[in-house]
Structure formats: C-alpha cells, structure tokens
C-alpha cells in the first residue's frame, strides 16, 4: 500500500516539523507547501502554478508526506490522492504560544522559512500579523476539517492529534 500522507492544521501547529520527523522515520519524501507557495520577498505564487507544482511533486512519487494547509486550494488535487490525513487539532493557547516562540526564534537567529524568506518584527507586527491570522482562521479551519472528516473525506484514514504528546502514536499506526 502506498503512503500518501497530508499533515494539516492551522498555522503554527508544527505541520512541517512533524512532517519532517515522519518522513525521516518512514523514509518518505516530505514536501513543505509553504516552501512551494512562497517566492522570495514573500510573493505568493498564483494558485494555478502552485497547484501544478504540488501535483508535479507528488505525482513523481509512490509515497509522500505533504505538510501544510492550503486546504481549499488543494481540496480537488492532493486531498483526493491522499490515503492518510493527520490533523493537528491543537488548542488555541498552545498555537499562539508556539507562534510567538517560533517567530521570535526565526527573527533572532535569522532562520529561513517559507522558501527563501525571513521573518521580521515589522512583518510580524504590521504586514502579516500571524497572531491575528491565527485568530481569524482557527475556528473556520477547525469547522472545515471537522466537516471534511465526516463528509467528503470520510473514506480517508484520519488521525487527529489534540496535543503534541500524541505524536508518538503516529509511528506505530503508520
């Protein structure tokens, strides 16, 4: 059986980190959607190009792990192809804490993220306030995924984690 895994959830849940860990443990290529979506200087690719690049990447492999959101953009493509959906359904307070720590670390250590981009205090506070983005999208994404799990993607194998401590159960079940 082919493993075609999507790791999804709201921003700052640790989708990429978990995807990389799973990829290493299962010896499967992990694809980070943010790396494909963003061009330098935080320019977003047009949806058609982004979708094509994601499809090209997964179609070239029998097994893959895709980490990221972009749920509505990719609903008719990789979501159809996936065999397993891992939903990181973490509490809002945990996500906001992770957002602060991750953003602070990226700014201080000048870590690349989302392709060739860097976080900045100005960007975080004024241009793309991640805290506001999380507050704006958290409940909407939660409802969407709950609906998809019980509806159009009910035939997929779903693994819902409600806390990072539950990650260990993934390895034995995959």
């Amino acid at each position: 059986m082919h493993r075609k895994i999507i790791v999804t959830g709201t921003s700052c849940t640790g989708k990429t980190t978990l995807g990389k860990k799973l990829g290493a443990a299962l010896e499967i290529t992990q694809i980070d959607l943010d790396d494909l979506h963003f061009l330098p200087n935080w320019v977003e690719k047009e949806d058609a190009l982004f979708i094509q690049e994601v499809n090209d990447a997964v179609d070239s492999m029998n097994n893959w792990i895709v980490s990221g959101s972009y749920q509505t953009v990719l609903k008719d493509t990789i979501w159809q192809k996936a065999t397993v959906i891992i939903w990181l359904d973490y509490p809002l307070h945990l996500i906001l804490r992770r957002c602060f720590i991750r953003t602070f670390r990226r700014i201080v250590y000048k870590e690349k993220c989302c392709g060739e981009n860097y976080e900045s205090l100005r960007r975080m506070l004024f241009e793309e306030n991640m805290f506001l983005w999380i507050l704006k999208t958290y409940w909407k994404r939660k409802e969407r995924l709950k609906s998809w799990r019980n509806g159009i993607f009910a035939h997929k194998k779903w693994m819902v984690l409600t806390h990072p401590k539950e990650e260990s159960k993934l390895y034995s079940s995959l």
Side-chain angles (χ1 to χ4, degrees):
M1 179 177 136
H2 296 299
R3 292 182 177 143
K4 298 177 180 194
I5 303 167
I6 293 176
V7 180
T8 194
T10 195
S11 302
C12 297
T13 51
K15 299 176 295 294
T16 300
T17 301
L18 179 59
K20 287 178 181 178
K21 286 182 192 175
L22 284 174
L26 300 172
E27 297 179 351
I28 299 174
T29 301
Q30 182 263 352
I31 299 163
D32 180 16
L33 292 177
D34 282 339
D35 284 347
L36 290 178
H37 183 73
F38 287 99
L39 297 167
N41 299 313
W42 295 101
V43 174
E44 296 182 54
K45 288 182 184 168
E46 291 186 26
D47 284 350
L49 177 60
F50 174 60
I51 292 166
Q52 185 61 51
E53 288 183 3
V54 172
N55 282 327
D56 290 347
V58 299
D59 287 346
S60 67
M61 296 177 266
N62 289 326
N63 298 296
W64 45 261
I65 298 171
V66 172
S67 305
S69 287
Y70 306 97
Q71 296 150 357
T72 55
V73 174
L74 298 170
K75 175 181 89 163
D76 297 326
T77 58
I78 63 165
W79 278 76
Q80 301 295 327
K81 300 170 188 177
T83 57
V84 177
I85 310 294
I86 300 172
W87 174 17
L88 305 182
D89 186 21
Y90 297 161
L92 184 58
H93 68 87
L94 175 65
I95 295 168
L96 291 172
R97 187 179 88 222
R98 282 181 162 202
C99 178
F100 176 78
I101 292 168
R102 180 185 83 173
T103 304
F104 181 77
R105 186 188 73 239
R106 285 178 174 173
I107 291 169
V108 169
Y109 296 109
K110 299 190 182 346
E111 295 176 1
K112 279 186 188 178
C113 63
C114 303
E116 296 295 314
N117 294 294
Y118 295 91
E119 298 276 7
S120 70
L121 193 57
R122 185 176 125 206
R123 179 174 167 72
M124 183 191 81
L125 295 175
F126 305 110
E127 295 172 13
E128 286 289 328
N129 188 310
M130 186 57 79
F131 296 102
L132 292 178
W133 175 253
I134 291 168
L135 292 172
K136 179 181 172 185
T137 61
Y138 178 80
W139 296 108
K140 188 186 314 179
R141 287 186 189 181
K142 191 175 187 75
E143 287 304 312
R144 176 188 310 127
L145 289 172
K146 195 182 302 182
S147 170
W148 285 5
R149 181 180 182 204
N150 297 319
I152 62 173
F153 296 114
H155 62 288
K156 306 283 184 185
K157 178 178 180 178
W158 283 76
M159 303 178 78
V160 181
L161 304 184
T162 58
H163 196 277
K165 291 178 183 175
E166 297 176 329
E167 284 181 17
S168 59
K169 75 179 182 183
L170 289 176
Y171 302 102
S172 60
S173 59
L174 291 173

